[in-house]
Amino acid sequence: MTGIAGFAGSTGSAGFALGADQEAWCARLRTLAAERLRPLAEKGEPGRVNRPLLAALGEEGLLDRLFTSGALELCLLRESLAYGCTEAETALALQGLGAHPVLRSGSDAQRERWLPGVRAGRIVAAFALSEPGAGSDAAALALEAVREPAGGGPAGGWRLHGSKCWISNAPEADFYTVFARTGEGPGAKGISAFLVPADRPGLSGEALDMLSPHPIGALAFDGVPVGPDDLLGEPGRGFRVAMDTLNLFRPSVGAFAVGMARAALDATVAHTAARTAFGGVLGDLQAVAHRLAEMATRTEAARLLVYAAAGAYDSGSPEVPRRAAMAKLLATETAQYVVDHAVQLHGAIALRRGHLLEHLYREVRAPRIYEGASEVQRTIIAKELYRDHGDRRAGESVADAGIAPVTAAATEAGEA
């Protein structure tokens, strides 16, 4: 695809316009989602992995793009699929979330064993970070990796004890990217990442009946054996693996939300332009027209912020954590606002089971929680602002002495 056209100002802000080929590609994706993927989604069972849908995503080459796309292209892909079929978008995104750590941190053997099946839609991946007592506070996870005694298991291996909860694609995934405490240090320093096949002895799970229609479950680890060959990256560096994944996918969660908001907005424009009431159409009422204007403006602002965050990721900007958090925060909160007002303007028909807005109303709530709740995103944004302020102050205080300051970002990178 042709790169996105943009410009950078002195403040680091950016303005964007998609190229004609990008707009055409997004239009083709929306058509594909509506005409091929939506019928497959409707045949699936809510709360269960839809393997025919995954296979179709593989056949269309869309799963492969998870491993070849930059952040911007991933956002365009997720936004376009979400507009036409949220189930297809979510199925694709969960494959990326679960398998991205394997792509970035896995061994050659792990990548060769698992990624071709993920790309084809034959193998289902899952990202297992959250726990009953460690959701938003991911560094507080308690799943324990206990070292095997000499001769008691895989050489240099561990046994996993504990549980995970709110895991998308569980318990039906074929493998899990699992984050466990191996004890190299306190907090985030003592976490390692493992690739755990679903058939490992001691691993069990159950599906959870949730409001959102995609599969979510809980996992129990009763002495699950893992060895050095199962590590993703180095021992004690698992939190970095998790954050690397989330920094890529947070802007695209925002893109998912923007796709839903745009679908709700377009449906509402069509409805209020045709629905007669009070001697005219609803759109003639200033209160309705102004509400639509607000919905459209917020959606466009969120969309541009998502693209800016993706552009920052693709350019290797140090502002990625802040921009990704801003994009996810604004886009998910905006989508909730737009869908809620779309339901209000449609009236009771939007509450009927099977209506587009009834579906979106259930779908739109979860993204404000997963991959970092809105409150977590606000915390990240504030920390980054204060870090930038501290870096500037540190630079000013040592400038006269000719000493290069050690920034908080560099310190964290050395410790994570």
Side-chain angles (χ1 to χ4, degrees), residues 67-371:
F67 305 98
T68 59
S69 297
L72 176 61
E73 189 170 335
L74 176 60
C75 286
L76 297 180
L77 175 57
R78 293 189 67 178
E79 178 187 329
S80 301
L81 289 181
Y83 184 94
C85 179
T86 60
E87 294 93 338
E89 185 284 332
T90 302
L92 177 135
L94 296 181
Q95 288 286 82
L97 192 64
H100 182 263
V102 182
L103 176 71
R104 289 293 297 267
S105 302
S107 64
D108 289 341
Q110 288 170 328
R111 288 193 286 266
E112 290 169 6
R113 165 68 180 86
W114 297 102
L115 294 186
V118 173
R119 285 184 165 102
R122 296 190 308 269
I123 290 177
V124 179
F127 185 81
L129 178 63
S130 295
E131 298 179 5
S136 294
D137 186 7
L141 62 83
L143 181 71
E144 188 176 17
V146 179
R147 277 284 187 184
E148 286 278 17
W158 299 262
R159 293 273 179 173
L160 302 180
H161 297 270
S163 62
K164 294 288 183 181
C165 200
W166 327 121
I167 307 304
S168 295
N169 280 346
E172 299 180 71
D174 297 306
F175 76 87
Y176 299 90
T177 296
V178 176
F179 299 89
R181 188 163 297 285
T182 47
E184 287 77 11
K189 298 179 186 178
I191 295 172
S192 298
F194 297 93
L195 191 161
V196 182
D199 60 0
R200 283 288 166 87
L203 177 59
S204 61
E206 63 173 339
L208 300 175
D209 189 8
M210 306 289 288
L211 175 68
S212 56
H214 75 271
I216 301 177
L219 299 171
F221 297 80
D222 186 12
V224 176
V226 290
D229 290 343
D230 298 313
L231 274 169
L232 294 170
E234 301 174 17
R237 308 283 282 183
F239 197 73
R240 172 173 285 187
V241 173
M243 292 305 106
D244 177 64
T245 301
L246 293 175
N247 279 337
L248 170 61
F249 277 86
R250 275 175 177 157
S252 68
V253 173
F256 170 40
V258 168
M260 289 189 286
R262 293 184 68 192
L265 176 62
D266 285 355
T268 307
V269 170
H271 175 76
T272 55
R275 175 76 160 86
T276 57
F278 309 107
V281 296
L282 283 178
D284 290 336
L285 300 175
Q286 188 180 70
V288 172
H290 284 190
R291 189 176 301 191
L292 278 170
E294 183 69 18
M295 292 160 64
T297 301
R298 293 193 189 196
T299 299
E300 188 66 11
R303 188 185 188 198
L304 292 176
L305 190 55
V306 165
Y307 293 172
Y313 186 96
D314 287 339
S315 67
S317 169
E319 296 181 343
V320 167
R322 175 172 61 86
R323 286 188 175 273
M326 286 180 169
K328 182 183 185 296
L329 172 65
L330 182 64
T332 56
E333 296 286 338
T334 293
Q336 181 80 62
Y337 172 91
V338 171
V339 171
D340 184 65
H341 284 275
V343 169
Q344 192 70 19
L345 290 174
H346 274 75
I349 192 174
L351 302 178
R352 187 173 182 179
R353 185 72 69 179
H355 192 279
L356 169 66
L357 288 172
E358 179 271 334
H359 174 79
L360 292 177
Y361 198 76
R362 288 184 290 114
E363 279 274 24
V364 79
R365 189 59 184 85
R368 292 173 59 204
I369 297 174
Y370 65 59
E371 292 188 43

